[in-house]
């Protein structure tokens, strides 16, 4: 019985890796002959080649994949990291947006013959350096993100958002933040809203930064007082806490634009806990790609950032750059989609 490291015991010794020389010794052949047999090269008889292959299989020999791929000049591996909330332990796959973005990125990579490698976002910057990556996808990078700079310095192509625009070897796919946010605000105003509150996030994400900038400009142009509450952590619980603070204000909003992702039924539950009904007391629009938003009562109006389209477009730009070797920066804008449902339709208002 081995002793658990947590109890203070020693870790079990790792099982020694079977080397090429071990296969050669067992087969009674030279390393060169065994290497040729396993790689399908050299002038060997079928019997010798089969003997070497069977010996390697029996011993559990696995070639050094990294060295083999580097000799070939490429590994067909694309690194992937979500850079939002890098200082906070969280699982971005719990986010419908990032779950769809990650899945679509992986599918698009596989369709082009590449595998996606999920990078440890919170690890030291040099941990990815040993991976033979051909390219990298960095979602929601930090301002002046060091990971972006490290990849580009290593001449590894990167696809990200507008923050990498113009950098050699970098490619961006993004939404038009101003058009998307103004479209939501105009829709709420058309429904009679005059005090539109926004739930944002305390991160350096370009999405939140530009969305809040557009919101403040929109309010200033109409003489509306901006009402903003920031969520300091990802997830539904933190968004719920921010909504609670917003709805407890003396100048409570008559509409809510939730930029942070949260469970749609939980949002409605939070509002009802304040004695408010939707849409009569409070109009709601959420930035969300959660399919349950269409199934609540009433169904929640959502602004979809279209993660699948973003992932597909990003991979197209990346593969084109990899296949051509062109370091010229490229970019593409994806149109968002406003799904108008019951939470933002008030009787007498207009869509």
């Amino acid at each position: 019985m081995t002793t658990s490291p947590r109890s203070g015991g020693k870790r079990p010794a790792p099982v020694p890796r079977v080397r090429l020389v071990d296969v050669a010794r067992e087969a009674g052949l030279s390393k060169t002959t065994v290497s040729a047999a396993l790689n399908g090269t050299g002038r060997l008889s079928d019997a010798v080649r089969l003997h070497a292959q069977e010996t390697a299989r029996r011993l559990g020999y696995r070639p050094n994949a990294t060295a083999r791929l580097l000799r070939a000049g490429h590994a067909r591996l694309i690194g992937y990291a979500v850079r939002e909330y890098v200082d906070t332990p969280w699982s971005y796959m719990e986010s419908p947006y990032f779950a769809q973005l990650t899945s679509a990125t992986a599918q698009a990579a596989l369709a082009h013959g590449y595998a996606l490698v999920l990078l440890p976002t919170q690890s030291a910057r040099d941990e990815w350096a040993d991976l033979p990556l051909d390219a990298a996808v960095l979602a929601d990078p930090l301002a002046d993100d060091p990971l972006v700079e490290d990849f580009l310095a290593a001449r590894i192509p990167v696809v990200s958002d507008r923050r990498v625009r113009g950098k050699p070897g970098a490619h961006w796919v993004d939404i038009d933040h101003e058009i998307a946010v103004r479209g939501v605000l105009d829709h709420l105003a058309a429904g009679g809203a005059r005090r539109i509150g926004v739930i944002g996030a305390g991160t350096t994400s370009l999405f939140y930064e530009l969305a809040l900038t557009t919101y403040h400009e929109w309010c200033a142009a109409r003489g509306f007082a901006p009402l903003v509450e920031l969520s300091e952590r990802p997830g539904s619980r933190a968004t719920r806490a921010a909504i609670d603070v917003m709805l407890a204000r003396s100048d409570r909003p008559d509409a809510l634009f939730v930029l942070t992702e949260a469970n749609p039924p939980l949002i409605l539950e939070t509002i009802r806990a304040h004695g408010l009904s939707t849409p009569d007391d409070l109009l709601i629009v959420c930035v969300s790609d959660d399919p349950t938003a269409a199934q609540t009562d009433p169904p929640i109006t959502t602004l979809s950032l279209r993660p699948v389209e973003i992932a597909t477009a990003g991979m197209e730009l990346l593969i084109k750059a990899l296949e051509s070797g062109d370091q010229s920066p490229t970019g593409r804008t994806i149109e968002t989609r406003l799904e108008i449902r019951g939470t933002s339709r008030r009787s007498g208002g207009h869509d």
Side-chain angles (χ1 to χ4, degrees):
M1 178 177 179
T2 57
T3 304
S4 169
R6 292 185 178 180
S7 64
K10 294 182 179 180
R11 293 180 180 273
V15 178
R17 184 184 181 93
V18 178
R19 302 167 300 167
L20 187 68
V21 66
D22 299 321
V23 178
R25 185 183 298 115
E26 179 71 16
L29 302 170
S30 69
K31 283 177 58 178
T32 302
T33 299
V34 172
S35 178
L38 298 182
N39 290 320
T41 59
R43 297 181 178 179
L44 305 177
S45 68
D46 291 342
V48 170
R49 193 180 300 279
L50 182 61
H51 175 56
Q53 293 172 345
E54 290 182 343
T55 302
R57 188 180 304 111
R58 176 166 51 83
L59 294 180
Y61 171 74
R62 291 183 296 114
N64 187 318
T66 298
R68 183 177 59 189
L69 290 169
L70 290 177
R71 284 196 299 271
H74 58 82
R76 304 197 76 80
L77 297 177
I78 296 176
Y80 178 88
V82 172
R83 302 292 287 163
E84 188 174 289
Y85 294 104
V86 294
D87 297 324
T88 303
W90 73 299
S91 175
Y92 61 80
M93 291 299 285
E94 294 178 0
S95 154
Y97 172 80
F98 284 123
Q100 292 179 40
L101 184 73
T102 305
S103 176
T105 300
Q107 291 181 44
L110 289 171
H112 291 283
Y114 288 80
L116 199 67
V117 179
L118 302 187
L119 303 180
T121 301
Q122 291 183 279
S123 65
R125 287 166 58 186
D126 58 357
E127 284 195 18
W128 63 269
D130 292 333
L131 297 174
L133 301 177
D134 292 318
V137 177
L138 301 178
D140 280 346
L142 307 172
D144 300 318
D145 197 311
L147 203 55
V148 171
E149 301 306 323
D150 287 349
F151 278 123
L152 294 181
R155 298 184 67 81
I156 294 175
V158 168
V159 65
S160 191
D161 63 18
R162 290 178 192 271
R163 278 193 165 140
V164 304
R165 181 169 50 186
K167 297 177 182 289
H171 312 274
W172 62 267
V173 178
D174 214 332
I175 64 169
D176 189 316
H177 300 78
E178 183 174 359
I179 289 178
V181 172
R182 287 183 180 275
V184 171
L185 297 173
D186 288 343
H187 168 65
L188 290 172
R194 294 298 177 267
R195 296 185 310 282
I196 302 175
V198 168
I199 304 297
T203 77
T204 61
S205 165
L206 187 62
F207 168 70
Y208 294 115
E209 179 182 302
L210 295 182
L212 289 173
T213 296
T214 300
Y215 168 69
H216 282 284
E217 292 174 349
W218 185 90
C219 287
R222 288 158 180 76
F224 292 169
L227 305 173
V228 177
E229 193 63 42
L230 299 181
S231 170
E232 297 301 327
R233 297 178 63 85
S236 295
R237 186 173 300 177
T239 296
R240 179 173 191 167
I243 293 175
D244 278 333
V245 173
M246 176 69 76
L247 297 184
R249 298 174 61 122
S250 59
D251 56 343
R252 191 181 67 203
D254 57 8
L256 206 56
F257 185 13
V258 183
L259 298 175
T260 57
E261 265 200 317
N263 175 261
L266 184 63
I267 291 176
L268 290 183
E269 179 185 312
T270 304
I271 292 167
R272 288 168 183 149
H274 285 263
L276 303 174
S277 66
T278 302
D280 296 333
D281 299 320
L282 189 71
L283 298 176
I284 306 173
V285 175
C286 296
V287 174
S288 179
D289 285 279
D290 189 330
T292 65
Q295 301 164 8
T296 56
D297 183 22
I300 296 178
T301 296
T302 58
L303 176 68
S304 170
L305 304 185
R306 303 180 72 192
V308 173
E309 289 77 4
I310 287 176
T312 303
M315 193 55 60
E316 288 176 355
L317 295 179
L318 206 54
I319 296 302
K320 184 177 181 180
L322 285 172
E323 293 179 348
S324 67
D326 191 350
Q327 287 282 303
S328 302
T330 58
R332 189 175 301 174
T333 301
I334 300 298
E335 185 177 351
T336 57
R337 181 174 59 244
L338 181 61
E339 296 283 0
I340 299 174
R341 303 188 180 102
T343 60
S344 66
R345 284 196 178 105
R346 187 177 285 157
S347 57
H350 303 280
D351 290 346

